[in-house]
Amino acid sequence: MAEILIVDDDGQLRSSFEKLLTAEGHLVRTASSGEAGLEAVQERIPDLVVMDVRMPGMDGLEAFEAMHRIEPRLPVVIMTAYGSTDTAIKATKLGAYDYILKPFDIPDVLELISQALEAGRFMRAKVALTAAPGEEDDSEALIGQSRAMNEVYKSIGRVAGTDALVLIRGESGTGKELVARAIFQHSQRSKRPFMIINCVAIPDTLLESELFGYEKGAFTGATQRRIGKIEQANHGAVFLDEIGDMPVNIQAKILRLLQEKKIERLGGRETIDVDVRIIAATNRDLEAAVAEGAFREDLYYRLKVVTLTIPPLRDRKEDIPQLANYFLRRFARDMDMDNPGLTKEALEALMEYNWPGNVRELANALQKTLVFSRGGALGGPDVLKAVGDSKNGSCPLAPYSPDGPLRDWVRSCLAAPGDSAFDTCMDQIGRLVIREALEITDGNRTRAAKLLGLSRPTLLAKIEKYGLRIKAQIS
Ligand SMILES: Nc1ncnc2c1ncn2[C@@H]1O[C@H](COP(=O)(O)OP(=O)(O)OP(=O)(O)O)[C@@H](O)[C@H]1O
Ligand SMILES: [Mg+2]
């Protein structure tokens, strides 16, 4: 659940936002003017602001600037009508998260809101450098007292205060992102924006414009100027995640940024001075990538100067008990259940296993064990089962046979003209998935929502929509 502030002089829009976001499980505050919005932020900083640009009195841009002075890491999404995008673009240049054009599609807005909330969490959620066991409960924490992890903590301390370019290396799931956030939070820029760019998750064609932005007309479809993440993060930092997968042409631009502290938007002639710190991470074998010509040697040498390597979990198994206890405590709390603890056999099973997916795999296995648990300490077999199938299996129905019943059923859904066939299919599948989740969790809707990765209100709405009956219970 997040706290979202809606600022708009249009009462109807405020109340539809309020309904929509409350149904998503968020806490919504509203303000009817720029002044009132600013006051609301002064009173308590929300997780996200969604604000209209054009309001009588203090307009959205002015209110944004004042809010930004209070908390530069507060994500603000600006709403604007077509034709008044200039102001919205100006706001993103000054660090607003993004803007949306009115009238908008609800799914698009919800998607943008969830991205903005995630970006805010990334910048602001505290990562504690390991505290005494049991003390790390309120924030995320880097856990582990092995020699290797202590070296990592020392390096974080050493590099954080400098403006050095840092490269974090380690296999997938070893905690690179957590370490990046810890470095940022212990740096002088910690009160400034911190933007994350995942070079793998974004298609190559979009990556460049995400990073550097573009001018109107830079390519077909570039109908407005767009400010890139690097410019938005001015005076703060950028996390280039999976930099080993960055296309070579973009690597050249990053190198220039490092050397000259300058960028250009795509299709732009203006050279823009930026002051950003770069933190990068990769699980790739960069040396091999250089040898293959997939990674620029000059950038490699620059990146390599300050490298922080997180060893795989199998090389620091002594961290497993503490990590396991930490995750169990957290997940149990999130699911509103008592921490069942682990039996000796369960712990032995965890110590025995090699954890190719590292800490992430351990966390997932424990969460799964907890969801399926039926009371009592988690035993060896429970844990082993979760470990065994912690890799998501593919759907057993796929690929479905050309003349199987599933195909007939899909065809029959598609046969009803005028109806939304896709939704009809999905609803039936959704009903099945939700029914199973409720079955597994004995009808506990809070746990079922966790299991499904849905907010509780969303789940409740679906239960009602699908007319699912559940055993009466307080959850
Ligand atoms: N030392 C640790 N203490 C507590 N939690 C950890 C630790 N290391 C990793 N985690 C948790 O494990 C999960 C994976 O960590 P993270 O996303 O930082 O890994 P990563 O190295 O960036 O992986 P990838 O290369 O797949 O992106 C996260 O949920 C993170 O909070
Ligand atoms: Mg990562």
Side-chain angles (χ1 to χ4, degrees):
M1 186 190 76
E3 188 174 321
I4 302 177
L5 174 66
I6 307 293
V7 188
D8 200 310
D9 54 331
D10 176 348
Q12 208 172 349
L13 195 134
R14 283 199 308 274
S15 66
S16 15
F17 256 114
E18 190 163 9
K19 258 195 229 124
L20 179 69
L21 295 174
T22 312
E24 288 288 307
H26 298 303
L27 182 74
V28 180
R29 291 157 74 197
T30 57
S32 57
S33 68
E35 289 87 349
L38 181 57
E39 252 169 57
V41 170
Q42 272 159 345
E43 199 178 285
R44 194 173 63 246
I45 295 174
D47 297 306
L48 171 70
V49 176
V50 182
M51 179 157 61
D52 190 20
V53 139
R54 222 182 292 176
M55 293 179 286
M58 182 188 262
D59 68 12
L61 184 64
E62 233 180 297
F64 164 73
E65 289 191 82
M67 289 173 184
H68 199 60
R69 275 194 293 275
I70 298 172
E71 172 52 280
R73 298 168 303 174
L74 168 63
V76 177
V77 169
I78 303 282
M79 295 182 279
T80 185
Y82 202 80
S84 65
T85 43
D86 280 359
T87 327
I89 294 167
K90 206 158 157 193
T92 50
K93 193 168 153 57
L94 294 170
Y97 182 76
D98 207 340
Y99 66 88
I100 36 177
L101 286 176
K102 284 182 187 180
F104 28 70
D105 281 342
I106 289 177
D108 293 350
V109 174
L110 290 179
E111 172 62 28
L112 183 62
I113 284 178
S114 89
Q115 281 174 14
L117 283 171
E118 187 51 35
R121 195 194 62 84
F122 179 77
M123 292 185 226
R124 285 165 66 199
K126 236 174 98 42
V127 179
L129 285 191
T130 200
E135 281 176 16
E136 4 42 15
D137 275 4
D138 287 335
S139 56
E140 281 178 273
L142 273 161
I143 303 295
Q145 286 301 343
S146 58
R147 226 180 50 222
M149 280 313 284
N150 272 304
E151 282 305 315
V152 171
Y153 306 142
K154 256 193 256 166
S155 310
I156 293 174
R158 228 177 283 132
V159 302
T162 70
D163 246 347
L165 164 68
V166 180
L167 175 65
I168 306 164
R169 299 184 74 165
E171 290 178 10
S172 183
T174 45
K176 296 184 293 295
E177 183 177 323
L178 220 46
V179 166
R181 286 165 54 203
I183 293 174
F184 172 72
Q185 289 178 6
H186 289 83
S187 77
Q188 295 117 330
R189 295 174 185 251
S190 65
K191 297 285 179 296
R192 297 294 182 157
F194 187 30
M195 300 285 176
I196 177 172
I197 291 276
N198 186 318
C199 304
V200 177
I202 306 172
D204 290 359
T205 43
L206 289 183
L207 183 59
E208 197 170 358
S209 50
E210 273 292 304
L211 283 165
F212 300 98
Y214 52 78
E215 294 295 343
K216 183 174 178 170
F219 45 84
T220 3
T223 50
Q224 305 287 336
R225 166 188 285 173
R226 194 175 167 86
I227 305 300
K229 288 277 188 291
I230 294 175
E231 211 177 326
Q232 280 185 306
N234 205 1
H235 306 302
V238 173
F239 179 42
L240 296 178
D241 202 3
E242 319 282 6
I243 195 171
D245 296 84
M246 181 182 269
V248 178
N249 66 319
I250 305 182
Q251 291 171 25
K253 294 194 169 185
I254 293 294
L255 192 67
R256 170 157 185 241
L257 167 66
L258 291 169
Q259 286 166 340
E260 300 170 29
K261 303 191 186 314
K262 287 182 197 310
I263 58 161
E264 269 147 32
R265 301 186 195 114
L266 268 71
R269 281 198 215 112
E270 186 192 354
T271 301
I272 300 155
D273 292 311
V274 280
D275 160 34
V276 291
R277 177 178 188 175
I278 303 277
I279 300 175
T282 187
N283 56 22
R284 279 303 186 90
D285 181 348
L286 282 187
E287 290 72 18
V290 169
E292 285 164 16
F295 203 85
R296 287 181 66 117
E297 198 168 9
D298 44 9
L299 181 57
Y300 167 73
Y301 280 113
R302 239 189 131 98
L303 278 171
K304 180 175 120 113
V305 180
V306 183
T307 300
L308 212 151
T309 305
I310 314 174
L313 188 56
R314 62 181 169 280
D315 291 348
R316 48 181 168 103
K317 283 193 168 174
E318 63 271 38
D319 287 339
I320 291 176
Q322 205 193 340
L323 280 165
N325 282 321
Y326 167 74
F327 287 128
L328 276 187
R329 239 189 356 260
R330 279 185 76 112
F331 296 146
R333 190 192 52 198
D334 288 353
M335 288 191 249
D336 273 332
M337 53 196 285
D338 290 328
N339 177 359
L342 292 166
T343 63
K344 195 162 143 278
E345 292 72 39
L347 194 56
E348 276 165 11
L350 295 179
M351 295 294 279
E352 195 62 31
Y353 184 63
N354 233 15
W355 303 109
N358 294 294
V359 183
R360 180 183 291 117
E361 188 183 6
L362 174 65
N364 289 346
L366 288 168
Q367 183 161 36
K368 202 157 181 178
T369 315
L370 204 55
V371 166
F372 284 95
S373 78
R374 307 245 164 186
L378 308 179
D382 304 330
V383 170
L384 280 177
K385 187 172 179 308
V387 169
D389 47 42
S390 62
K391 289 159 225 75
N392 271 337
S394 58
C395 174
L397 297 173
Y400 63 60
S401 81
D403 31 42
L406 180 62
R407 185 180 191 231
D408 292 343
W409 171 70
V410 172
R411 287 273 163 126
S412 72
C413 289
L414 296 177
D419 264 341
S420 42
F422 182 78
D423 290 342
T424 313
C425 280
M426 284 314 172
D427 277 352
Q428 298 209 40
I429 293 173
R431 189 173 192 279
L432 268 175
V433 173
I434 288 174
R435 207 184 58 194
E436 277 323 293
L438 288 166
E439 175 89 34
I440 291 167
T441 56
D442 275 337
N444 182 318
R445 283 161 279 190
T446 306
R447 281 171 63 195
K450 279 276 166 205
L451 180 62
L452 292 163
L454 295 174
S455 71
R456 197 168 177 279
T458 307
L459 175 64
L460 294 183
K462 290 197 191 296
I463 290 175
E464 180 158 334
K465 177 174 172 196
Y466 299 147
L468 290 167
R469 242 178 274 278
I470 2 179
K471 299 170 224 168
Q473 88 148 57
I474 306 150
S475 74

